[in-house]
């Protein structure tokens, strides 16, 4: 019989798969190490087990103990599987920018999840670094993992992932490209590969908003480089001990939009359903294509599974809200896509100006169409209210019909964006779109500005 004694024995030996469509512009063989095949669906299973086993071996983790870690989800999943098999409790401290799916998955495998704000300094008592440390101090028989500075993290990749890649490529690998968070993956694999062949180039993929690239190039830890970003799993506002800058040849930074767009492309063009840092990694690899020649063997590592991002990078509304969908905006109906689910705010001729003002404040809008039983008969916008106010500062109690301007022009939903733009000018702040069935919606100059790329 051939079976694993428990789930932990199935970790590792993940496949290396040639990329075909996505990397057509790259003149080299590009292979992806797909870590989704681990039982916790990420590369982090490897280092989670290693960190626990090393802590057991030297007595930091004792029987029945509580494991505490600040984790963006994947390390938590690996720790959870290991905690179940070995009989430990687990508390995961997670920042609020991580996807909801990641928290739910951690709870599903028995972890207690504590959520902390992302936008605070690492030294702030509310940060997930500080909260993890405090919980570790307060909880009896507990062990704080600290994947950032725990050497077992990189060692796991030095012992397993590095040798796997070396064997799978028959020692022919020339470049390794990977996203960097704690640094465990790049440093462990990079060290092993460079020991085998010092000519192998190790490239880190970083995010905008993270300190790595600049620190590697200049030795300066520049706080101006730090701001919040959307990409998950990579980039840091600290320098983890697991990042061994000496074995990294260079970093390239990938934008949040590119990372999200390329996460989708990997699924659509290669049939490989992987997570957000894989999108960054492959886009980073494409940015580096000038460094590769036809005989090169370039390996990229995909850290985790796409299923953890279905509410984000794989969700059209989430992508659209962030301007990450390059949808062609050519018609009036394209311009109202983002607010079509909200009712059109109107005001009636017999209502008072105060009603219109209240509605403008509530909905944060600057113009409102005016209706009576015959349909659209006028308009109210900030500029006519302002002009009227200059001559009469009691306008709040006046009926709308006394201060309203001309009704907005109505266009068909298939009208071109040029046609709509021409109708919006100083005198006329908006256009109404006829959606059929007596339904209308409004296009303002802000919708047109929003459509300009
Ligand atoms: N991608 C994802 C999805 C991750 O969870 C992590 C770990 N933070 C990384 C990339 C970066 O890996 P490492 O921490 O080993 O640098």
């Amino acid at each position: 019989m051939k079976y694993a004694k428990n789930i932990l024995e199935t970790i590792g030996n993940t496949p290396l798969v040639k990329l075909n469509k996505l990397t057509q512009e790259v003149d080299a063989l590009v292979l992806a190490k797909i870590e989704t095949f681990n039982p916790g669906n990420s590369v982090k299973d490897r280092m989670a087990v290693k960190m626990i086993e090393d802590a057991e071996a030297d007595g930091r983790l004792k029987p029945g103990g509580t494991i505490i870690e600040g984790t963006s989800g994947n390390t938590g999943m690996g720790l959870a599987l290991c905690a179940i098999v070995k009989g430990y409790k687990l508390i995961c401290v997670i920042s609020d920018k991580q996807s909801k799916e990641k928290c739910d998955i951690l709870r599903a495998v028995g972890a207690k999840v504590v959520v902390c704000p992302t936008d605070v300094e690492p030294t702030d008592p509310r940060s997930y670094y500080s909260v993890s440390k405090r919980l570790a101090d307060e909880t009896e028989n507990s062990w704080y993992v600290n994947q950032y500075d725990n050497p077992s993290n990189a060692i796991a990749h030095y012992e397993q992932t590095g040798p796997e890649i070396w064997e799978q490529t028959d020692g022919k690998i020339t470049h390794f490209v990977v996203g960097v968070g704690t640094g465990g993956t790049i440093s462990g694999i990079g060290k092993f590969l460079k020991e085998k062949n010092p000519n192998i180039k190790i490239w880190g993929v970083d995010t905008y908003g993270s300190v790595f690239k600049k620190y590697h190039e200049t030795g300066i830890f520049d706080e101006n480089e730090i701001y919040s970003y959307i990409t998950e799993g990579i980039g840091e506002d600290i320098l983890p001990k697991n990042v061994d800058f000496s074995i990294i040849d260079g970093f390239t930074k990938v934008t949040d939009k590119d990372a999200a767009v390329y996460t989708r492309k990997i699924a659509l063009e290669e049939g490989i359903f992987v997570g957000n840092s894989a999108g960054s990694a492959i886009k980073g690899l494409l940015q580096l294509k000038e460094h590769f020649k036809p005989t090169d063997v370039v390996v990229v590592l995909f850290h985790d599974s796409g299923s953890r991002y279905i509410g984000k990078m794989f969700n059209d509304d989430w992508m659209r809200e962030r301007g990450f969908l390059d949808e062609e905006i050519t018609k009036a109906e394209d311009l109202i896509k983002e607010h079509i689910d909200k009712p059109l705010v109107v005001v009636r001729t017999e209502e008072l100006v105060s009603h219109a003002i209240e509605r403008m404040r509530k909905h944060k809008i600057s113009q409102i169409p005016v209706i009576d039983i015959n349909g659209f008969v006028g308009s109210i916008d900030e500029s006519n209210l302002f002009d009227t106010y200059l001559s009469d500062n009691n306008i709040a109690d006046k009926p709308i019909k006394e201060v309203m301007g001309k009704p907005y022009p109505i266009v068909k939903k298939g009208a071109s964006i040029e046609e709509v733009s021409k109708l919006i000018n100083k005198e006329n702040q908006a256009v109404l779109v006829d959606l059929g069935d007596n339904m209308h919606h409004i296009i303002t100059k802000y919708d047109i500005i929003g459509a300009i790329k």
Side-chain angles (χ1 to χ4, degrees):
M1 286 193 282
K2 207 173 165 199
Y3 62 88
K5 285 197 277 309
N6 59 52
I7 196 68
L8 304 181
E9 286 195 353
T10 68
I11 295 172
N13 293 316
T14 51
L16 189 66
V17 179
K18 178 175 183 275
L19 298 183
N20 296 297
K21 290 203 193 118
L22 202 48
T23 47
Q24 257 165 7
E25 61 188 90
V26 180
D27 224 355
L29 174 64
V30 181
L31 304 171
K33 179 80 170 153
I34 308 180
E35 290 296 307
T36 314
F37 284 82
N38 287 303
N41 298 136
S42 94
V43 74
K44 295 287 185 163
D45 290 356
R46 299 170 183 269
M47 49 72 98
V49 175
K50 178 72 181 161
M51 292 191 297
I52 287 181
E53 288 182 349
D54 287 354
E56 282 175 328
D58 63 17
R60 280 171 294 157
L61 177 59
K62 296 184 192 64
T66 300
I67 299 167
I68 298 176
E69 180 58 329
T71 164
S72 64
N74 289 319
T75 302
M77 182 66 170
L79 291 170
L81 301 187
C82 198
I84 290 169
V85 171
K86 290 170 173 283
Y88 299 109
K89 293 188 268 309
L90 172 65
I91 302 176
C92 290
V93 184
I94 189 163
S95 65
D96 58 7
K97 89 165 196 198
Q98 307 301 330
S99 52
K100 185 179 170 299
E101 290 85 345
K102 283 186 181 174
C103 298
D104 292 342
I105 292 168
L106 286 176
R107 290 194 184 100
V109 284
K112 189 175 160 203
V113 179
V114 178
V115 182
C116 299
T118 309
D119 286 333
V120 294
E121 301 279 318
T123 48
D124 188 294
R126 292 162 299 166
S127 80
Y128 86 105
Y129 307 104
S130 311
V131 173
S132 324
K133 288 204 185 99
R134 180 174 54 77
L135 285 171
D137 290 341
E138 288 170 0
T139 312
E140 224 181 290
N141 191 16
S142 67
W143 166 60
Y144 174 46
V145 182
N146 191 6
Q147 58 173 322
Y148 294 94
D149 301 333
N150 186 329
S152 308
N153 173 1
I155 294 171
H157 298 293
Y158 178 81
E159 290 178 350
Q160 298 169 32
T161 334
E164 283 177 29
I165 294 173
W166 179 256
E167 278 158 33
Q168 284 170 311
T169 58
D170 214 5
K172 296 195 176 79
I173 175 172
T174 56
H175 297 78
F176 179 58
V177 181
V178 68
V180 183
T182 66
T185 316
I186 195 165
S187 306
I189 297 174
K191 182 165 185 273
F192 180 86
L193 294 175
K194 288 220 161 172
E195 279 176 11
K196 284 286 184 191
N197 173 3
N199 295 327
I200 295 173
K201 295 280 178 271
I202 308 294
W203 280 97
V205 179
D206 195 12
T207 52
Y208 287 88
S210 157
V211 295
F212 291 146
K213 185 170 191 285
K214 176 144 189 196
Y215 184 78
H216 183 255
E217 287 167 5
T218 64
I220 297 166
F221 179 88
D222 185 355
E223 296 205 356
N224 290 319
E225 294 274 309
I226 301 172
Y227 45 83
S228 60
Y229 53 84
I230 295 169
T231 305
E232 290 190 36
I234 67 169
E236 289 299 339
D237 51 3
I238 54 166
L239 295 174
K241 289 209 178 85
N242 270 310
V243 187
D244 179 355
F245 287 94
S246 70
I247 62 105
I248 300 170
D249 291 285
F251 279 95
T252 182
K253 284 194 184 220
V254 174
T255 63
D256 286 335
K257 178 176 175 181
D258 281 343
V261 168
Y262 277 81
T263 303
R264 289 182 155 212
K265 278 184 192 262
I266 303 171
L268 285 173
E269 295 182 22
E270 302 288 343
I272 302 172
F273 189 49
V274 282
N276 188 207
S277 64
S280 295
I282 198 66
K283 180 60 172 50
L285 187 151
L286 294 173
Q287 288 171 191
L288 295 169
K289 67 179 180 184
E290 257 67 73
H291 294 261
F292 313 137
K293 55 182 189 308
T295 50
D296 284 343
V297 177
V298 183
V299 175
V300 59
L301 185 140
F302 293 160
H303 272 84
D304 69 348
S305 161
S307 60
R308 293 184 187 165
Y309 307 88
I310 36 174
K312 292 189 157 185
M313 294 77 195
F314 291 106
N315 177 297
D316 279 353
D317 291 336
W318 187 94
M319 290 286 280
R320 191 173 292 122
E321 275 162 28
R322 284 155 191 80
F324 289 175
L325 280 190
D326 282 332
E327 291 171 310
E328 250 203 288
I329 298 178
T330 56
K331 297 196 202 97
E333 62 184 331
D334 303 328
L335 289 165
I336 52 169
K337 248 187 209 150
E338 273 180 43
H339 51 255
I340 191 132
D341 52 328
K342 300 195 187 105
L344 176 65
V345 179
V346 292
V347 65
R348 293 179 174 277
T349 44
E350 302 311 316
E351 286 185 284
L352 303 181
V353 168
S354 58
H355 295 125
I357 293 173
E358 190 193 313
R359 248 159 262 172
M360 284 174 159
R361 280 200 192 119
K362 185 171 162 210
H363 298 280
K364 299 194 178 66
I365 53 178
S366 308
Q367 51 276 305
I368 305 188
V370 180
I371 57 167
D372 70 6
I373 45 162
N374 298 315
F376 294 101
V377 292
S379 65
I380 289 284
D381 64 61
E382 283 169 339
S383 50
N384 27 62
L385 287 187
F386 190 66
D387 289 347
T388 319
Y389 180 77
L390 290 180
S391 54
D392 175 2
N393 35 29
N394 293 323
I395 56 163
D397 299 328
K398 284 198 177 295
I400 291 288
K401 63 172 185 288
E402 284 183 28
V403 302
M404 70 188 190
K406 285 193 306 198
Y408 297 131
I410 299 180
V411 297
K412 296 218 166 58
K413 60 184 178 181
S416 72
I417 186 163
E418 290 78 19
E419 203 179 314
V420 176
S421 311
K422 271 187 211 141
L423 292 169
I424 295 184
N425 50 42
K426 240 191 189 155
E427 283 78 52
N428 184 57
Q429 303 284 331
V431 166
L432 292 168
V433 190
D434 184 350
L435 299 171
D437 292 337
N438 221 6
M439 305 261 290
H440 294 82
H441 228 302
I442 191 164
I443 296 174
T444 67
K445 63 176 179 236
Y446 295 103
D447 296 316
I448 308 249
I449 291 167
I452 298 170
K453 291 215 185 76

